[in-house]
Amino acid sequence: MADADEIKAAERRGYTRGYQSRGRRIKRENDAERQRRERQAFLDRAFLAILPAAMNAQGWKFGDKPITNTEDRIKLAASWAREALSQRPLA
């Protein structure tokens, strides 16, 4: 039968593993949130950089529908920005 010291040692090991597990989970969540913010910032910058070119684009189409109004031009810029994000090299 285990004595009190062995039980206390086992409890401490259990608490330590729990604290370490929580720390790793928090680090993963923080890393994922940082990466999401970085991707969103890149997407925002790409969209704003591409928007003037999309507003002046002539002869572009979405499928068979010509792009003629502001809403379609903004959609075009957003599409280009998403493509830029997908092609972005990882550092």
Side-chain angles (χ1 to χ4, degrees):
M1 189 163 169
D3 66 355
D5 290 336
E6 290 174 349
I7 293 172
K8 288 187 184 271
E11 287 177 349
R12 280 193 302 272
R13 286 191 302 273
Y15 285 130
T16 299
R17 282 195 299 269
Y19 289 132
Q20 290 171 346
S21 175
R22 180 175 183 268
R24 287 189 300 269
R25 180 181 51 85
I26 289 172
K27 183 181 181 323
R28 272 194 318 271
E29 290 171 356
N30 288 343
D31 288 347
E33 178 61 20
R34 179 188 47 77
Q35 186 178 34
R36 187 202 63 78
R37 283 192 317 263
E38 287 176 359
R39 289 175 57 84
Q40 184 62 49
F42 178 87
L43 187 62
D44 293 344
R45 287 190 310 270
F47 175 77
L48 292 174
I50 292 168
L51 189 58
M55 294 306 256
N56 292 320
Q58 299 296 322
W60 285 79
K61 295 180 180 182
F62 278 128
D64 292 333
K65 181 183 176 221
I67 297 173
T68 57
N69 61 27
T70 302
E71 184 179 334
D72 288 342
R73 293 175 188 281
I74 291 171
K75 286 180 185 176
L76 179 63
S79 174
W80 287 346
R82 282 190 301 275
E83 183 61 27
L85 179 62
S86 72
Q87 297 294 323
R88 179 182 179 207
L90 298 175

